[in-house]
Amino acid sequence: MNDRAALELLAAHGPLTRTRLGELTGLSKPTASQLLTRLETVGLVRTTGNVTGRPGPNAQLYEIDPAAAHVAALAVDQEGITAAVADITGQVVGEHRVTAPATDESVTHRTGELVAEAVDGALTAAGLGRDDLHTTVIGTPGALDPRTGTLRYAPHLPGWQSRTLRDELAEVLHTPIVIENDVNLAAVAEQHHGTAQDFDDFALVWADEGVGAAIVLGGTLLRGATGGAGEIGYMPLPGAPLARGGPDAAARPDGGGGFQKLVGSPAVVELARAHGIDAPTATKALAAARRTPGAGDEVLTELARRLAAGLASVVAVVDPELVVLSGEVAQAGGERLRELVEAEMTGLALPRPQLRISEIEGNPILTGALRTAVADARRTVFDTARFDA
């Protein structure tokens, strides 16, 4: 227990002196010294210079040895796979992107091969090999049904529906595999690195090419019986076509129905075009709307009305303290869109949660996957009892 406490403190605070570690753990100086010597011997801790500029002898600094374990994290989307490799401290040491459009039939039966290519590319960039990996976390649209092991709510990823997918990938990479919903991982990133750090009850609403939500209650992700908690893209709303056929129906050219049909990236492009703003992507459409008086104001107001209608349903059921807006649409709409959504929600639901735009930099899905993978690795690696077995 003392070893784990010390390791967690070093992971959280960075390099610490023996004296400071003793103060934080409540251990005596001799006990702290013995602990650090033991952790250094088994390769979990290393020295990293001295504290200078103060009276007395220079104090030795200790830190987690980054090489104690490495993890891989992947974010899967309709256009390909992004992989990152990090050390046990969470520092990213290699990244790689594999382009693999889901519409290309040639990739359907190459899921394991593509995952391996992405991971190997990140490992090569880090100067590592597969034997250096401890665990792998993969973020995908949809979610694994815990009863069947199949990926549901993601008909647009045809190569990922195998019942034995997790075992197949574990055999390829030779690590334990965790497959997690991408929006859930974005919420993990928000919970530990973003605007939700001080909240135990919040909802993250993801508006991008796809639309979904992650619900965190009491600090714990709500997954649901089939892993489908938060699949609000299918939620029926006035003005949206119904998503007939359910989450496992074959992908349709129109993208189905429900909330996603109102606020997903393709819908935003269509909305802007209907008001005379022609742009190829939602990001460019909303950027143009923000600088176009009249027509642009109408686009943003209508989009805010649509978002507010969907958020009101989530808020009425869950009553979160905070709602975080994330994804391409939210980021492109920015603070102006947030203000309009907040105004539109007045009177739609009795609870009035705080409403914020995500401030996570880079890919929040990858960030959440890395956080999850590092936490999993630490649970095992920081268990020093295994060295005494």
Side-chain angles (χ1 to χ4, degrees):
M1 291 175 62
N2 287 340
D3 288 351
R4 178 172 288 276
L7 289 165
E8 293 290 355
L9 285 168
L10 288 169
H13 294 278
L16 295 171
T17 64
R18 179 198 61 185
T19 300
R20 182 57 180 154
L21 187 64
E23 292 172 350
L24 292 172
T25 58
L27 299 175
S28 66
K29 288 184 179 180
T31 301
S33 293
Q34 292 169 5
L35 178 151
L36 286 169
T37 298
R38 181 169 62 253
L39 295 178
E40 190 172 10
T41 300
V42 298
L44 295 180
V45 165
R46 69 180 185 182
T47 57
T48 177
N50 301 280
V51 176
T52 59
R54 64 182 188 181
N58 293 337
Q60 188 82 56
L61 284 167
Y62 295 86
E63 68 176 3
I64 299 291
D65 188 340
H70 290 86
V71 300
L74 295 88
V76 180
D77 57 58
Q78 288 182 265
E79 298 302 320
I81 303 171
T82 301
V85 171
D87 60 37
I88 194 69
T89 71
Q91 179 67 40
V92 175
V93 293
E95 290 192 49
H96 189 67
R97 171 77 176 174
V98 172
T99 301
T103 54
D104 185 348
E105 294 184 4
S106 68
V107 308
T108 301
H109 304 294
R110 297 176 54 222
T111 302
E113 178 184 335
L114 293 169
V115 167
E117 183 181 344
V119 172
D120 285 344
L123 286 169
T124 298
L128 300 169
R130 290 189 193 176
D131 290 343
D132 294 303
L133 284 183
H134 181 277
T135 192
T136 302
V137 174
I138 304 174
T140 73
L144 279 189
D145 188 327
R147 300 173 302 183
T148 65
T150 57
L151 187 70
R152 303 190 68 203
Y153 311 99
H156 54 293
L157 293 179
W160 290 77
Q161 271 78 37
S162 168
R163 288 176 178 268
T164 59
L165 177 64
R166 186 160 43 195
D167 291 338
E168 293 168 8
L169 296 180
E171 186 175 348
V172 169
L173 296 179
H174 306 295
T175 75
I177 300 289
V178 174
I179 299 178
E180 177 64 274
N181 173 261
D182 53 1
V183 182
N184 282 351
L185 291 174
V188 170
E190 211 66 53
Q191 188 176 21
H192 294 281
H193 305 287
T195 59
Q197 290 182 71
D198 298 325
F199 296 83
D200 289 328
D201 300 284
F202 72 94
L204 180 139
V205 174
W206 179 268
D208 205 286
E209 194 72 21
V211 174
I215 311 298
V216 176
L217 299 176
T220 303
L221 275 166
L222 177 67
R223 288 186 168 82
T226 65
E231 290 291 344
I232 60 173
Y234 297 97
M235 185 168 63
L237 286 177
L242 294 177
R244 299 291 187 185
D248 299 313
R252 292 179 291 278
D254 66 356
F259 190 35
Q260 179 166 312
K261 192 64 174 176
L262 292 179
V263 300
S265 297
V268 172
V269 171
E270 291 177 11
L271 175 62
R273 189 172 294 129
H275 287 81
I277 298 175
D278 197 0
T281 66
T283 295
K284 292 182 177 180
L286 291 174
R290 292 201 312 270
R291 62 175 182 265
T292 306
D297 295 330
E298 292 176 6
V299 170
L300 290 168
T301 299
E302 172 60 18
L303 178 58
R305 184 188 68 79
R306 296 178 181 185
L307 281 166
L311 291 180
S313 298
V314 175
V315 168
V317 174
V318 180
D319 188 18
E321 188 178 359
L322 169 73
V323 174
V324 180
L325 298 178
S326 190
E328 178 188 32
V329 172
Q331 295 289 344
E335 183 60 21
R336 185 175 173 193
L337 178 62
R338 187 204 67 79
E339 291 174 352
L340 288 169
V341 172
E342 188 172 59
E344 287 286 341
M345 284 188 66
T346 302
L348 289 180
L350 289 179
R352 295 298 303 275
Q354 296 183 49
L355 186 64
R356 299 181 182 177
I357 299 288
S358 171
E359 297 178 355
I360 296 290
E361 295 183 0
N363 186 332
I365 298 166
L366 201 60
T367 299
L370 282 168
R371 170 78 192 192
T372 302
V374 168
D376 181 76
R378 287 178 181 174
R379 276 191 290 271
T380 301
V381 174
F382 286 1
D383 181 13
T384 56
R386 63 197 174 95
F387 293 107
D388 300 322

